[in-house]
Amino acid sequence: MTNKSVIFFDIDGTLLNHDKKMPESTKKAIFKLKELGHEVAIATGRAPFMFKDIRDELDIHTYVSYNGQYVVLDGEVIYQNPLKLNPLEKLTEEALQNNHPVVYMDHEDMKANVPEHEYITESISTLKIKFFPTHDPHYYKSRDIFQSLLFCKEGEEHQYEQAYPDFDFIRWHPVSVDILPKGGSKAKGIEKICKQLGYPEEHQYAFGDGLNDIEMLSTVKNSVAMGNAEEVVKQAAKYVTKSVEDEGILHGLKMVGLLK
């Protein structure tokens, strides 16, 4: 175990470029890591159903999804941390009054509390996925919801941050914010996996580029920020590699000594 490592990769802006395409050098690097006996995993804010195609393409069966709220090790769910129902219901009522739509997401699907809204269309379409939320305002009442999306302009989320201390709000798009359980993060999900696999911290690696990667990058010992990341994200990481467009994954893996 001591000469093998576990490497966690974010998806958007890390494995995938701005056009949601995976550079060929990235794919080859992932398979080379696996060939060398390393454990390769994904750590993303996406729902499991939003990146099954990527898992299949890369033959990856271990992942942290929903920013740490739904964690799977070798195909088995090992950790779940859903949103609290009562505050989610109250937030939904307030958001509806403010014309701020909400989308509810479990491990299988996502549903919106309004039939349609331009903010939902605008933000979800940037993910370039084949899934789109359909209308079911009561979806959250009968199942565990691991993440919600609040659709509002930048700054408008502050009123909710103060009113709902059970949740963390992380912006991922100019008109959309992730709603997560308070204190939930990719770092917590990674901790669950590493504890079960037994990898010491010096053999843990993480690559990311977004605001939701900051805790992961500041917690994992060998962390690498992409060159396309914002400055605040780069400051959280131990290393900074090139942009995803410029073979950043391959360059970063060579930088930290995992590939030659």
Side-chain angles (χ1 to χ4, degrees), residues 56-181:
D56 290 344
E57 182 180 0
L58 298 176
D59 194 26
I60 291 175
H61 309 287
T62 296
Y63 58 89
V64 173
S65 63
Y66 283 134
N67 289 310
Q69 315 323 308
Y70 191 84
V71 180
V72 171
L73 173 59
D74 198 22
E76 298 293 328
V77 179
I78 63 168
Y79 179 70
Q80 299 180 68
N81 184 32
L83 293 164
K84 291 183 178 179
L85 177 59
N86 287 343
L88 181 59
E89 188 164 29
K90 291 178 181 177
L91 182 148
T92 295
E93 293 170 359
E94 182 177 340
L96 207 54
Q97 294 173 357
N98 296 330
N99 192 28
H100 293 157
V102 177
V103 164
Y104 314 106
M105 309 171 78
D106 66 0
H107 63 293
E108 294 178 323
D109 206 351
M110 56 180 170
K111 300 289 185 178
N113 70 333
V114 295
E116 57 183 28
H117 194 282
E118 59 180 314
Y119 287 179
I120 298 179
T121 304
E122 179 183 340
S123 57
I124 298 294
S125 64
T126 64
L127 296 173
K128 293 182 167 64
I129 56 176
K130 56 187 176 183
F131 300 95
F132 198 82
T134 52
H135 182 218
D136 183 352
H138 304 297
Y139 192 70
Y140 68 96
K141 294 182 178 181
S142 58
R143 66 203 74 233
D144 285 336
I145 300 298
F146 299 103
Q147 181 171 296
S148 283
L149 303 177
L150 174 68
F151 297 86
C152 60
K153 293 180 180 178
E154 292 187 53
E156 292 181 332
E157 69 271 23
H158 297 327
Q159 60 182 298
Y160 301 98
E161 291 172 345
Q162 296 176 351
Y164 301 96
D166 290 304
F167 301 147
D168 282 333
F169 297 82
I170 301 176
R171 183 164 291 279
W172 67 276
H173 186 276
V175 296
S176 187
V177 174
D178 289 333
I179 304 175
L180 301 169

